[in-house]
Amino acid sequence: MEIDILVENSNEIVAIEVKSHLEIRNVKRFLEVLARFKEAFPKYKNYKVYGAVAGIKIDEKADEYATQEGLFLIEPAGDSVIIANSESLQPRVW
């Protein structure tokens, strides 16, 4: 199992999938990874696991699907990046 970026604190994790061109199929595959995450990494069995997807180019349907599935969406903003979800996002916990 490959996780591009893993951010950890004492009881929460954000697993991030990074693509140059993010498509719906990438989001679907990453959701499968998140479903198996705690099995593959039993060290984190008691952690809250959140997911995020990031892309330089993001298909419109991919951003809608990621948000619908409770993933954070990270996209370029000038020389940096932003979390592009609306404040109404209810992040999914694995």
Side-chain angles (χ1 to χ4, degrees):
M1 174 177 296
E2 178 184 319
I3 304 293
D4 292 330
I5 301 172
L6 189 65
V7 181
E8 171 187 352
N9 70 17
S10 60
N11 64 349
E12 296 175 311
I13 290 176
V14 180
I16 306 170
E17 176 75 3
V18 180
K19 296 290 183 193
S20 57
H21 183 176
L22 184 67
E23 300 174 322
I24 288 178
R25 65 187 172 100
N26 305 123
V27 176
K28 287 181 178 181
R29 268 194 235 127
F30 187 56
L31 289 167
E32 292 171 7
V33 167
L34 289 170
R36 298 186 333 258
F37 182 86
K38 289 184 179 181
E39 181 181 322
F41 301 100
K43 166 186 173 182
Y44 299 115
K45 68 181 179 184
N46 295 321
Y47 283 60
K48 289 182 179 180
V49 178
Y50 299 96
V53 290
I56 296 170
K57 179 181 178 192
I58 301 172
D59 286 353
E60 182 179 334
K61 298 295 181 189
D63 65 359
E64 293 172 10
Y65 182 65
T67 298
Q68 172 188 329
E69 292 296 320
L71 298 173
F72 292 103
L73 180 67
I74 302 170
E75 64 181 32
D79 291 338
S80 188
V81 295
I82 60 169
I83 296 177
N85 306 89
S86 72
E87 290 185 23
S88 64
L89 171 72
Q90 294 297 316
R92 186 170 165 188
V93 178
W94 280 266

